[in-house]
Amino acid sequence: MKNRREFLKTASAGAIAASVPSFLPAAAMPAMKAKQAPGFSLGIAGYTFVRLSIDRAIGIMKKAGVNNLSIKDFHLPYNSTKAQIDEIIGKFKNAGLNVYGVGVVYMTSKDFVDKAFDYARMAGANVMICAPNYDLLPYVNEKVKSVDFKLAIHNHGPDNPLYPNATDIWNHIKDLDPKIGICIDIGHTTRDGADPAKDILKYGSRIYDVHIKDVDKASREGKTVEMGRGIINIPSVIDALKKVKFTGSCSLEFEKDAEDPLPGVAESVGYWKGVLACR
């Protein structure tokens, strides 16, 4: 919980500085350097809403003040027609929300690769977060050349031998089309024994999406907790994203309290925004 204590200390210092009376001479006031807004945005990964209807998902996003969504197939089925996709995504648009991506999409055959690409195209996705079987990567590499969206392969930690970490993804994609990159999940990265900030710095040129969360253990047994209550050094993650000039979405994937994730989502979003404001 060191990162949470450090954040609270920094936030308190900022509050104290903000309370200094304005009648002090300008020369006595510390010079304030204007902060540059980060190039990345805040979003929510669709799995957060695995037990919820579209209407409840929209309600939570509105209450949490998050406008970007990577939608999952339980809300946008893979066999949807273009008209059905437009109708579903239209519900989010009408609420002032942006569906920027789809996934995670698992690809286990060439036929499904074709379906997945059509699905992402019809949805107007900027990025398809995915996990194609290793043997399908040459076919995926040819397919991606003819589309205008990127692919971000998702790491799933020690539970899944398919892309357990960013290094494994990098080793499989480094010689492929540059539109194929990484969706780094900082929780699974930590559970796999790696430092997400270091991986972001190492593979930043091919990171196209980020799943943010916190976990309670750096092991396979680690579980999602409210951001700031776990062991991930969130400030270092934000610093690394800024250093590599990441311009995609950092989407909260809150895998806890599936029946009512709003309190945890709100706390996690607030913590992320608070850390970001202090960097």
Side-chain angles (χ1 to χ4, degrees), residues 77-264:
Y78 295 133
N79 61 357
S80 300
T81 65
K82 181 64 166 67
Q84 290 168 331
I85 288 174
D86 289 346
E87 180 182 0
I88 293 168
I89 291 180
K91 291 183 179 181
F92 291 93
K93 286 184 177 179
N94 291 338
L97 305 175
N98 171 47
V99 178
Y100 77 89
V102 296
V104 178
V105 180
Y106 295 90
M107 304 179 197
T108 57
S109 69
K110 284 188 176 181
D111 285 345
F112 194 78
V113 170
D114 292 340
K115 178 179 285 190
F117 271 78
D118 287 341
Y119 171 79
R121 177 183 53 78
M122 288 191 293
N126 294 325
V127 60
M128 175 166 61
I129 299 97
C130 59
N133 283 1
Y134 293 126
D135 63 298
L136 292 171
L137 283 173
Y139 187 63
V140 169
N141 190 52
E142 289 306 310
K143 292 282 291 186
V144 80
K145 294 175 182 178
S146 63
V147 298
D148 60 1
F149 55 83
K150 293 180 178 179
L151 269 59
I153 298 179
H154 186 281
N155 65 292
H156 274 98
D159 307 283
N160 194 332
L162 184 69
Y163 309 113
N165 50 57
T167 298
D168 180 71
I169 299 172
W170 172 260
N171 288 337
H172 282 90
I173 69 165
K174 60 185 178 181
D175 297 322
L176 301 183
D177 191 284
K179 283 191 289 187
I180 302 176
I182 300 169
C183 170
I184 186 166
D185 183 306
I186 67 172
H188 292 320
T189 297
T190 301
R191 292 174 56 251
D192 200 54
D195 180 340
K198 289 182 179 179
D199 277 359
I200 289 167
L201 292 174
K202 191 171 184 179
Y203 306 117
S205 65
R206 293 284 282 271
I207 292 177
Y208 299 149
D209 196 64
V210 180
H211 282 181
I212 57 174
K213 63 185 68 166
D214 209 342
V215 295
D216 60 359
K217 295 184 183 70
S219 67
R220 184 171 184 162
E221 294 72 33
K223 302 294 183 185
T224 297
V225 295
E226 292 80 0
M227 196 174 291
R229 298 189 184 217
I231 62 170
I232 298 180
N233 188 334
I234 301 299
S236 73
V237 168
I238 288 175
D239 289 347
L241 290 168
K242 286 185 173 183
K243 190 166 185 178
V244 300
K245 295 181 171 57
F246 177 66
T247 58
S249 179
C250 297
S251 289
L252 174 67
E253 189 172 40
F254 192 69
E255 300 161 317
K256 181 173 179 264
D257 304 327
E259 300 292 344
D260 184 19
L262 176 57

